[in-house]
Amino acid sequence: MQKIVTSLWFDTEAEEAANFYCSKFRDSKILSVSHYGSAGPRPEGMVLAVDFQLAGQTFNALNGGPDFKFTEATSLLVHCESQDEVDQFWDALGEGGEPGPCGWLKDKFGLSWQIVPTALDEMLADPDPEKAQRVMKSMLQMGKIDVAELKRAYDGA
């Protein structure tokens, strides 16, 4: 069992969200579904929580009620090895949601995701500060990250 598990608070959409997320990542599955009983506080039989794995990492989705909403202060970061993978996750997770700046998007449940190519981290960590700053300036103008455009900025083209 994974020692630390991210728990995501939903009003009533925990099972729908878990199924949606599992459909977007390989090596993903629903682990368990529990339901509220007669002790409440939500209606008996309603889904209480869903434990699921995305790419082998365990998460918990809780139908806790309408009291709390997601904010950009917490996001899930997806490392992508290629532009094709960036495009795939951007489109899949953004379905019904809204795009944001710098590789961020909100999915249809309001959860924030960062869809980031590993090349971005490598370029930003370059010991040449001019290269890194050109990449940063380019990235700050993007919604979905464009690896080829980052590379042009990195190369000074």
Side-chain angles (χ1 to χ4, degrees), residues 125-136:
D126 192 285
D128 181 338
E130 289 182 16
K131 287 182 175 183
Q133 289 307 301
R134 288 194 305 263
V135 170
M136 176 63 79

Side-chain angles (χ1 to χ4, degrees), residues 77-90 114-120 147:
L77 191 148
V78 180
H79 291 285
C80 300
E81 296 300 321
S82 67
Q83 185 67 54
D84 286 343
E85 197 174 16
V86 168
D87 295 345
Q88 171 199 341
F89 283 114
W90 184 267
Q114 296 179 59
I115 311 303
V116 180
T118 55
L120 174 61
V147 177

Side-chain angles (χ1 to χ4, degrees), residues 57-132:
Q57 173 137 358
T58 302
F59 292 85
N60 170 269
L62 171 72
N63 278 333
D67 299 330
F68 301 109
K69 304 288 183 212
F70 294 118
T71 74
E72 292 83 354
T74 299
S75 63
L76 300 179
L77 191 148
V78 180
H79 291 285
C80 300
E81 296 300 321
S82 67
Q83 185 67 54
D84 286 343
E85 197 174 16
V86 168
D87 295 345
Q88 171 199 341
F89 283 114
W90 184 267
D91 293 342
L93 292 168
E95 176 186 317
E98 62 184 74
C102 308
W104 290 63
L105 62 83
K106 282 187 188 177
D107 68 27
K108 64 184 178 179
F109 304 103
L111 182 62
S112 291
W113 295 81
Q114 296 179 59
I115 311 303
V116 180
T118 55
L120 174 61
D121 291 336
E122 293 165 6
M123 289 183 232
L124 289 175
D126 192 285
D128 181 338
E130 289 182 16
K131 287 182 175 183

Side-chain angles (χ1 to χ4, degrees), residues 11-80:
D11 180 6
T12 61
E13 310 87 358
E15 189 170 29
E16 178 188 356
N19 284 316
F20 176 78
Y21 301 143
C22 285
S23 75
K24 307 306 179 192
F25 290 87
R26 288 188 298 267
D27 189 23
S28 299
K29 61 187 174 187
I30 301 296
L31 300 172
S32 67
V33 179
S34 60
H35 296 84
Y36 281 98
S38 60
R42 311 275 325 252
E44 185 172 358
M46 177 182 182
V47 170
L48 166 63
V50 180
D51 291 321
F52 62 103
Q53 285 185 342
L54 299 181
Q57 173 137 358
T58 302
F59 292 85
N60 170 269
L62 171 72
N63 278 333
D67 299 330
F68 301 109
K69 304 288 183 212
F70 294 118
T71 74
E72 292 83 354
T74 299
S75 63
L76 300 179
L77 191 148
V78 180
H79 291 285
C80 300

